[in-house]
Amino acid sequence: MGTARLNVMSLPWPTDWAAVFGRERPLILEIGFGRGQFFLHLARTFPEHNLIGLEISNRCMTDVERALARHRLANARAVYAMAETALYHLFTPESLEQVHINFPDPWFKTRHSHRRLMQRDTLDAIASRLKPGGALYLATDILDYAEMSAALLAETPSLENALPTPWASALPGRVVTKYEATARREGRECYFFHYRRGAQP
């Protein structure tokens, strides 16, 4: 695509995404796209949306940027950024139609718990950036992380569970990523969340 790498420190705060993409479209965000299989699937599934993927791995950034160029997916851009910094500074309130989080690092050790993505402040930031009716999707293969996330989500007044249970073992239409396939092959259950932003501020 011949475009420069996007970095949270070089983008304007907040970012005019219509100017970045050259068109005004609903925004979809994936936090931590890893090797990019799910991100590329989103780009193909939602051609009339603008997609932003956040990642802090240079290798993953390079791989996904090359894949986007190779497949001519001009509706998706990778951004080098920590999720918290991007949520607070790149996006305005009620600007996102969907947020996807796939298998975030659980940071098992107590001294690393502050690095977990699913925390009160970060979840509140995600909720505030979603449009009313916007969707939050979370997937994890760690039961403790699922239980922790379920408690946080249930305590978030502006988010409403779109499922009849705290989580589901599968979501219709979801592409199976390599990580998910490996988890299932190794006997680990996967837990999927689907919440919607309500009308409450």
Side-chain angles (χ1 to χ4, degrees):
M1 295 187 307
T3 51
R5 170 166 290 186
L6 299 182
N7 187 305
V8 68
M9 301 309 295
S10 58
L11 284 166
W13 293 4
T15 301
D16 181 352
W17 293 108
V20 170
F21 286 96
R23 64 179 197 170
E24 183 76 46
R25 292 289 191 279
L27 290 176
I28 296 175
L29 173 68
E30 183 179 2
I31 298 175
F33 55 70
R35 304 316 290 266
Q37 183 181 2
F38 191 86
F39 188 53
L40 295 172
H41 168 76
L42 284 176
R44 295 187 185 100
T45 304
F46 296 95
E48 295 307 313
H49 289 61
N50 291 336
L51 282 87
I52 303 123
L54 306 179
E55 185 53 66
I56 56 171
S57 163
N58 277 308
R59 178 179 177 183
C60 291
M61 283 286 296
T62 299
D63 288 349
V64 167
E65 286 168 335
R66 288 173 177 170
L68 292 174
R70 185 168 61 251
H71 296 291
R72 295 184 174 85
L73 294 169
N75 66 322
R77 296 298 301 274
V79 179
Y80 184 84
M82 292 286 292
E84 296 81 0
T85 306
L87 286 165
Y88 285 119
H89 298 299
L90 300 187
F91 303 100
T92 55
E94 300 185 0
S95 62
L96 297 172
E97 190 167 281
Q98 298 177 26
V99 175
H100 296 262
I101 305 169
N102 288 304
F103 304 97
D105 193 322
W107 293 107
F108 288 113
K109 294 180 180 178
T110 301
R111 67 177 183 272
H112 292 157
S113 61
H114 66 282
R115 299 183 181 180
R116 290 177 191 148
L117 180 61
M118 291 296 286
Q119 300 200 52
R120 179 75 276 147
D121 288 350
T122 308
L123 184 54
D124 286 344
I126 291 171
S128 76
R129 269 45 182 173
L130 280 171
K131 294 179 178 180
L136 168 62
Y137 298 93
L138 167 69
T140 180
D141 60 334
I142 307 296
L143 179 58
D144 286 350
Y145 203 91
E147 291 174 339
M148 176 202 71
S149 300
L152 282 171
L153 288 160
E155 295 166 358
T156 308
S158 57
L159 294 178
E160 303 167 352
N161 193 354
L163 301 172
T165 54
W167 60 68
S169 58
L171 287 181
R174 178 188 161 87
V175 65
V176 177
T177 65
K178 291 181 181 178
Y179 186 96
E180 180 184 342
T182 299
R184 294 191 184 280
R185 191 165 56 248
E186 295 176 355
R188 297 195 302 279
E189 183 63 73
C190 293
Y191 311 94
F192 300 98
F193 295 79
H194 177 195
Y195 272 71
R196 290 201 174 276
R197 166 76 189 274
Q200 180 170 337

